[in-house]
């Protein structure tokens, strides 16, 4: 029996690198966008069906909860966009080193945070 094996793997104590958090959040934002498209398409379909439907969607989008949902979807889109651009840059061979990956992840977090704050200001 190998004594080097971990006896109890506690996932809460494992420290992931910043590149892992960036990758995990990129995947999560993609799932959020996939699910959010259904909400947005429903609103679009309802607003195009009739004048009454358009008025209902317009009234719904004026509520703070709807603004928060739209901001959440827009936040997911902006993060996914910035992380996707990072991946495209890495596909060109730029930033493929460990230090380049860490710097790229930090830049993605900073740029996405700025864009998300600006989107929140724009929505409210």
């Amino acid at each position: 029996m190998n004594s080097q094996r971990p006896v109890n793997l506690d996932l809460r104590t494992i420290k992931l690198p910043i590149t892992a958090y960036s990758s995990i959040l990129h995947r999560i934002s993609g799932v959020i966008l996939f699910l959010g498209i259904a909400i947005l398409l429903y609103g679009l379909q309802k607003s195009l069906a009739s004048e009454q439907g358009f008025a209902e969607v317009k009234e719904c989008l004026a509520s703070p909860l709807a603004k928060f949902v739209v901001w959440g979807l827009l936040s997911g889109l902006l993060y996914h966009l910035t992380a996707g651009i990072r991946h495209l840059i890495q596909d060109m061979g730029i930033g493929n080193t460990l230090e380049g990956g860490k710097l790229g992840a930090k830049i993605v977090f900073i740029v996405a945070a700025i864009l998300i704050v600006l989107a929140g200001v724009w929505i409210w």
Side-chain angles (χ1 to χ4, degrees):
M1 184 167 175
N2 188 355
S3 63
Q4 300 291 339
R5 282 182 36 187
V7 177
N8 184 10
L9 186 60
D10 188 5
L11 295 177
R12 295 173 291 159
T13 60
I14 296 175
K15 177 145 175 52
L16 296 175
I18 191 168
T19 53
Y21 288 116
S22 176
S23 178
I24 291 167
L25 286 175
H26 188 222
R27 292 167 191 257
I28 290 172
S29 66
V31 171
I32 289 170
L33 290 175
F34 179 76
L35 298 175
I37 287 174
I39 297 169
L40 295 176
L41 285 177
Y42 172 74
L44 179 64
Q45 184 272 330
K46 188 169 184 171
S47 69
L48 294 176
S50 65
E51 288 184 32
Q52 180 185 0
F54 179 80
E56 289 174 4
V57 170
K58 185 177 177 182
E59 180 183 334
C60 177
L61 288 176
S63 74
L65 178 63
K67 287 183 179 183
F68 183 73
V69 169
V70 170
W71 179 69
L73 292 173
L74 195 54
S75 298
L77 176 65
L78 291 170
Y79 181 79
H80 200 75
L81 176 70
T82 54
I85 290 171
R86 173 182 170 241
H87 284 294
L88 289 175
I89 291 171
Q90 285 182 331
D91 286 345
M92 292 187 293
I94 302 169
N96 282 339
T97 64
L98 181 60
E99 292 304 316
K102 288 180 183 179
L103 179 63
K106 289 176 187 175
I107 291 171
V108 164
F109 286 138
I110 291 169
V111 170
I114 291 169
L115 291 174
I116 289 169
V117 168
L118 290 174
V121 170
W122 178 60
I123 289 175
W124 273 284

